[in-house]
Amino acid sequence: MIKLGITGGIGSGKSVVAQLLQLSKIPVYIADEESKILTNTSPIIRKQLISLFGKDIYTEDGLNKKRLASYIFNNPEYLKQVNAIIHPEVNYHFQEWATKQQSEICAIESAILFESGFNQYVDYSLMVYAPIEVRVMRVLARDKASREEIIQRISNQMPDEQKKELSDYVIYNDDIHALLPQIQDLLSDLSSR
């Protein structure tokens, strides 16, 4: 089975590409969604976060996101420790999930594919690319965030050029290039490997 890692910056359209792959019968593991579930359900993550931050990091409803955010905001060391707790569990869960798939290709969508090290556990990586201005306009239309906040979020992510260099494939989601032919070409190339 071929494992494909899908990444891209905020507003690039990686979720749209993931959905189009799913419509093409490619199972896609959405790392962001799964990590939120695991943070609340994994006894390993729970134990380690409580050890790091105390019992108040969880409430009856699950992870106390505001409290966690207050710890990791502007504290790179805490962020690094939290990632070191969550990322291995997400990777383990993805690997288990992948073994249960019946297709020749499966994928993981992760905004932080390279930053998290998930790229080490896939066979190929795909970056969804869109120019910054297109990304900003998409996020403005989608989120309740100011232009400045969006630019700040983009600047906190790995630069697109770096992701492009690290990726095996690039799909251009720039409102100029059609997505479906690019996805068909990608799947055709992967199937021939």
Side-chain angles (χ1 to χ4, degrees):
M1 172 188 290
I2 292 175
K3 295 177 191 165
L4 176 69
I6 306 165
T7 194
I10 184 172
S12 64
K14 62 189 168 298
S15 297
V16 171
V17 169
Q19 289 169 349
L20 290 172
L21 285 170
Q22 288 171 324
L23 289 172
S24 300
K25 308 290 187 230
I26 305 298
V28 181
Y29 181 96
I30 310 299
D32 188 47
E33 290 174 12
E34 296 296 335
S35 70
K36 288 174 184 168
I37 294 168
L38 285 170
T39 302
N40 284 317
T41 60
S42 165
I44 294 169
I45 292 175
R46 180 180 287 258
K47 181 180 177 186
Q48 292 182 31
L49 288 179
I50 288 172
S51 176
L52 186 60
F53 299 115
K55 290 182 181 178
D56 291 347
I57 201 67
Y58 282 92
T59 68
E60 295 175 357
D61 300 324
L63 180 69
N64 186 332
K65 294 176 192 169
K66 286 185 179 179
R67 186 174 293 269
L68 179 63
S70 73
Y71 284 120
I72 63 177
F73 186 71
N74 288 330
N75 189 325
E77 188 52 39
Y78 271 149
L79 178 60
K80 186 176 176 184
Q81 289 176 312
V82 169
N83 288 341
I85 291 168
I86 296 173
H87 292 167
E89 288 302 304
V90 173
N91 178 52
Y92 176 77
H93 191 254
F94 166 65
Q95 298 301 330
E96 286 291 305
W97 173 89
T99 63
K100 297 172 184 161
Q101 303 313 305
Q102 302 297 313
S103 61
E104 292 180 19
I105 302 169
C106 73
I108 179 172
E109 181 216 302
S110 173
I112 55 171
L113 184 75
F114 298 110
E115 300 91 327
S116 65
F118 293 153
N119 63 302
Q120 299 172 59
Y121 305 103
V122 297
D123 301 299
Y124 301 100
S125 55
L126 163 68
M127 182 206 178
V128 180
Y129 173 83
I132 287 185
E133 193 53 37
V134 171
R135 293 168 56 194
V136 169
M137 296 311 290
R138 287 176 183 159
V139 179
L140 278 171
R142 181 187 75 194
D143 297 354
K144 292 181 179 176
S146 70
R147 181 179 187 78
E148 293 73 29
E149 289 171 322
I150 296 165
I151 296 290
Q152 181 62 44
R153 286 162 72 182
I154 289 172
S155 70
N156 287 335
Q157 295 183 328
M158 180 185 283
D160 281 353
E161 293 311 313
Q162 190 176 357
K163 281 187 181 181
K164 266 186 177 179
E165 286 177 26
L166 294 170
S167 296
D168 299 298
Y169 298 94
V170 177
I171 283 185
Y172 293 88
N173 186 20
D174 53 9
D175 299 335
I176 297 169
H177 298 86
L179 285 177
L180 283 176
Q182 294 181 81
I183 289 173
Q184 289 167 346
D185 289 347
L186 167 73
L187 294 177
S188 175
D189 191 70
L190 287 174
S191 294
S192 70
R193 292 180 179 256

